Amino acid sequence: MNASPAVRINALYAALMALIMAFILSGCEDNKPSQIEWQLPLEAPEDPHGSHQVLVVPDWAAASLGDAEFVWLQKSTARLFPVHLASGAQISIEEWDIHLLGLASGLRIQNKAFLNDENVDNPAAFVSISRDGKPVYTGWLYAKFPELFGLDDPEWKVWLKGITLRPALEDGDNKGSLSSAG
């Protein structure tokens, strides 16, 4: 028995529709978007200034003689606390202690090393800051970049206003000082 052409067309149409539905449904199995390699998030490079880094004051910075002027800002009251420290000295402000460990007239970084470059205008002070006896920040504070690096605290901000370097004493003679203010 031969089926009529209309029945054959309907059967062919139904088979084609079943095949199309199977193809469509098989494409929905993996509905998780896949990431293309160039879409992967970039990782930030290691920050040599970061407070999470274990930084040690360079010998040349610890040997630098001079003073540093800091300004502490209590954000909730907008009260400023100016602080003047000599090399190696420590002072307390409210619940904070700051210890001046080293100075640089022109700090720069090369191959992950901190260098004092007289051709660079980037005065900096290496400090250790603790709160209630617990270390909070150890590293460089910069006169030119007070917002970029330093203590990260919701209530307080500290920045380096400037440094004054004294040359090493020669024959018991003080030859003056070099000053840099931000």
Side-chain angles (χ1 to χ4, degrees):
M1 298 205 171
N2 286 339
S4 70
V7 172
R8 278 193 226 156
I9 291 177
N10 282 342
L12 186 59
Y13 180 71
L16 183 61
M17 290 305 287
L19 186 61
I20 291 174
M21 288 302 289
F23 181 71
I24 290 173
L25 292 176
S26 69
C28 293
E29 287 178 17
D30 186 23
N31 52 0
K32 294 180 185 175
S34 61
Q35 287 195 330
I36 301 171
E37 186 175 330
W38 55 268
Q39 288 180 320
L40 296 176
L42 297 176
E43 292 183 23
E46 184 178 303
D47 181 9
H49 307 281
S51 62
H52 64 280
Q53 300 283 330
V54 177
L55 296 179
V56 177
V57 63
D59 292 337
W60 58 264
S64 295
L65 300 176
D67 305 298
E69 292 181 62
F70 301 95
V71 178
W72 284 79
L73 168 66
Q74 188 176 27
K75 295 176 184 177
S76 63
T77 64
R79 187 171 170 201
L80 295 175
F81 297 86
V83 174
H84 184 89
L85 274 176
S87 298
Q90 183 173 338
I91 196 166
S92 295
I93 299 290
E94 299 291 315
E95 67 271 13
W96 296 94
D97 293 314
I98 185 168
H99 190 181
L100 179 58
L101 302 172
L103 295 169
S105 61
L107 188 68
R108 73 178 176 93
I109 299 173
Q110 181 177 347
N111 297 328
K112 297 185 180 184
F114 291 97
L115 305 172
N116 193 28
D117 187 343
E118 294 177 7
N119 297 318
V120 175
D121 183 26
N122 189 20
F126 195 93
V127 297
S128 175
I129 300 174
S130 57
R131 184 179 202 167
D132 297 325
K134 297 177 188 159
V136 176
Y137 178 81
T138 300
W140 292 100
L141 296 178
Y142 301 88
K144 301 284 183 174
F145 309 102
E147 291 297 323
L148 294 180
F149 311 106
L151 176 68
D152 186 20
D153 186 79
E155 180 61 24
W156 289 87
K157 180 67 183 163
V158 62
W159 64 89
L160 176 65
K161 186 173 180 183
I163 66 168
T164 303
L165 291 176
R166 293 185 301 271
L169 297 177
E170 295 179 21
D171 301 325
D173 189 24
N174 191 349
K175 305 275 184 190
S177 66
L178 302 171
S179 179
S180 173

